[in-house]
DNA sequence: AATGAATGAGAGTTCATTCAT
DNA sequence: GATGAATGAACTCTCATTCAT
């Protein structure tokens, strides 16, 4: 009857229990998808009683939302960390995409979970994509200010880049057989280069096409 | 037809009933998603008894597969029909994307359904994307042969184009509020032009970039 | 809306259709049991449309009742025909049991159907057994009048005989593997003789035990 | 216990709930038969929620099998307990049959359930009869060793005794109207005596038939 | 804080029966 | 007389959630 959310553990033991549940949920959702995953399966994987779940989460939806939030934060972090270590615009772009594909290869769960989010948690999907796109927009605007990207609407370009990464990653990472450790291979080199060439041409200022060597 | 249950009625009335069910399923799946959609909701939307469903489909899975198949066929048809009425490569590309967005606007179900397919019907998702990409590849190869597209791997470009259309369509068609008739607005003009410009630059042969000022 | 039973075909074609349905029902009920048998399976086996069934039978129950009636008539007929060809009381008894086991061996359907009758068709089971027992009672009374059976309540003895035949038949006919033609083997000779000896001793007038040769 | 689902509760409350379900199933199966009995009817009779059923049993089939097992164990126990308190072979036999009819009178479910087992649970029916018959065989062999039963094949005699009890019980216990408490009357005295006389004569060693006038 | 037995709404599915053709 | 598409009540079974312990 209390209106307080149940998500705040008061004791240290409680904190540990909540963490076990989140970790179990990530694994179970990734393996089975949202609907096939049941609370009992999650609590069993966490090694706690089924009733315990509701001490920390209001519903199955809520733990799902928490998970999407978590994964989104991690993929953006991976991308921005990688990009920020480069000074050149082109190198930063390459590093960002490499980080994105790397995260996809090692965390296929992200992909799987996101694809279910639209109906499970209205808004979670939009938030996920919007946040990543915001990162692209900021990068593009900075590059425009430095004269390294042509004059254009950065929002449209950002969604285009997001789409390119999304489907290339789907095709050449997720669809390739995962190894025994559940990790997929990375995008093949020539595909990555073709993709970067495609993007460079689309973004380059007039008359500043990339140097011959990389154009093929 | 190869997927129909043995009991599938063969009369004209039966054909009409099956069509009503497919149309209802499209609407219900699009609105509620696969898991929230129930056979009863579909049959109610179709205006038939719940048992009637099983005269035409073996399971909820099967009508889902049939629907994916159906929508895939229709969207590819819309795209190729539109593109084939243009002789110029650029015009054909524009027409193809316009048809894609138009289909998305009037059949949001396609999008929403595909996003759920990974866990629901492994294989259907891949088939859907692969078939559309095949269409892109053929178009790109023809344009390459005509010297209108630069030398490049058409498969990578095709997946990039697919991704661009996918996310631009998601952002500017599906995420925009649908009207009373359930139809979403089309992509705004300037977004469409920015996108086409992006693509043109990515595909244009060296030295054949559209002249400044005539691009829009 | 008419109160007339639908079981009376008016034309010759109707007579044939009804017969096809009865034959199909016997086969389907025997194979699948009452509840697993569906009207559609029966009509398919009969080669008619499913709606046709209700031109001749009011319900699934009714055709079942008709079948029980039919099988009961046939097994009693087999038994009494066999017995009536013997003049000696002992020989008649032996012939009756032989006929009973023979019918069981070639029509295992009877057994299977009867075992389901109690809940399917209240009264059918009682009628079946009562009628057979009535035959035994009449035989016993005649033998008593001839001094060939001791003074006793023929009704109790009749039910005892029925039970003996029932379980010996179950154990040594039905439980033995049927051949390729669906026919079970007959009761082994020594079992039959042991059983007849058992019965003879139970029924024989005091001091008139069967001759040494048949006692073992 | 070996047939319990993995989720079967282990607390004392759980034990009580399981017992309530088994008792309810006995009553419902006896009244309605296997096919008319539904899980909901059983759980309603047990006074628990319908989902509770599946905490204790995997399916309707399983509770049926468990019930057959349970009733079989109890009827054999009642029979052997009664018989073992008598030293005289004849008295033991009488006590065994009395116990059998008494069990039938208070647990008509056993009878009704067994009759349905053939199609419902192949094997359960055979096991039930075989186990009871095994008890008869052992008793007969012991009596033969003591010279109280004539030389004969005890297996055939055992099945004959089983059949006699089966049909006499059906006719004079089950077919007689049950009282308000659901319990049927016992076999009438003169029927019981006639039956015992029938059996005694069938089993008695040559020359040891009970003397006239002292048989009843 | 933790438990797990209990719940009941709702899922997918079947089939005896009806009725327009 | 014959058909078979259509029906809907009833089935078995699942699972997110509650609550007494």
């Amino acid at each position: 009857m209390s209106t307080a959310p149940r998500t705040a553990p008061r004791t240290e033991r409680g904190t540990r229990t909540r963490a076990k549940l989140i970790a179990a949920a990530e694994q179970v959702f990734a393996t089975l998808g949202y609907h096939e995953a049941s609370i009992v399966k999650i609590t069993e994987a966490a090694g706690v009683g089924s009733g315990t779940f509701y001490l920390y989460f209001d519903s199955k939806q809520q733990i799902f939302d928490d998970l999407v939030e978590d994964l989104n934060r991690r993929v953006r972090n991976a991308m921005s960390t990688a990009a920020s270590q480069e000074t050149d615009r082109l190198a930063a772009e390459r590093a960002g995409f490499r980080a994105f594909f790397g995260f996809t290869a090692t965390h296929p769960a992200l992909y799987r979970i996101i694809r279910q989010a639209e109906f499970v948690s209205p808004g979670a999907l939009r938030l996920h994509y919007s946040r990543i796109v915001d990162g692209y927009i900021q990068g593009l605007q900075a590059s425009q200010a430095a004269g390294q990207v042509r004059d254009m609407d950065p929002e449209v370009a950002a969604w285009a880049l997001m789409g390119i990464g999304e489907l290339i990653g789907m095709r050449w990472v997720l669809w390739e057989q995962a190894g025994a450790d559940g990790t997929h291979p990375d995008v093949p080199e020539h595909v990555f280069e073709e993709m970067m060439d495609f993007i460079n041409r689309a973004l380059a200022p007039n008359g500043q096409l990339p140097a011959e060597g990389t154009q093929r």
Side-chain angles (χ1 to χ4, degrees), chain A residues 13-178:
Chain A
R13 183 186 181 191
T15 306
R16 265 183 284 122
T17 301
R18 187 179 194 281
K20 280 194 290 184
L21 282 165
I22 281 275
E26 175 170 355
Q27 178 222 318
V28 175
F29 279 137
T31 310
L32 301 176
Y34 181 79
H35 289 95
E36 289 301 305
S38 69
I39 302 295
V40 167
K41 280 172 187 157
I42 291 171
T43 54
E44 272 175 2
V48 302
S50 65
T52 304
F53 179 90
Y54 289 90
L55 296 178
Y56 300 100
F57 303 96
D58 287 323
S59 65
K60 186 179 172 183
Q61 249 227 58
Q62 202 200 37
I63 199 172
F64 180 85
D65 286 350
D66 286 5
L67 214 49
V68 170
E69 182 80 22
D70 190 53
L71 287 167
N72 178 259
R73 196 168 26 71
R74 283 154 66 189
V75 71
R76 282 184 296 122
N77 195 276
M79 290 171 74
S80 63
T81 298
S84 68
Q85 286 171 340
E86 307 289 339
T87 50
D88 177 56
R89 166 228 140 199
L90 188 56
E93 238 161 46
R94 295 175 70 95
F97 272 102
R98 284 221 187 275
F100 178 76
F101 293 138
F103 195 90
T104 301
T106 51
H107 298 80
L110 171 65
Y111 234 86
R112 296 217 159 94
I113 287 173
I114 289 300
R115 287 207 154 247
Q116 304 218 319
E118 178 157 18
F119 288 102
V120 171
S121 187
L125 180 110
R126 296 191 187 198
L127 203 55
H128 170 74
Y129 283 119
S130 298
R131 280 173 171 169
I132 297 180
V133 162
D134 280 350
Y136 280 124
I137 292 176
Q138 284 170 27
L140 287 170
Q141 284 172 333
S143 298
Q144 281 177 327
Q148 293 174 324
V149 159
R150 67 183 167 88
D151 181 30
M152 57 181 294
D153 181 341
E155 193 181 2
V156 177
W159 283 96
L161 293 181
M162 177 85 237
I164 292 169
E166 182 97 348
L167 285 220
I168 299 270
M170 182 171 87
R171 169 64 186 81
W172 275 287
V173 178
L174 289 170
W175 289 9
E176 299 298 330
Q177 193 70 41

Side-chain angles (χ1 to χ4, degrees), chain A residues 181-202:
Chain A
D181 62 348
T183 292
H184 294 260
D186 207 335
V187 170
E189 199 55 26
H190 96 274
V191 172
F192 190 82
E193 294 304 333
E194 285 275 355
M195 182 193 79
M196 287 310 304
D197 192 23
F198 186 101
I199 291 170
N200 283 338
R201 289 168 181 272

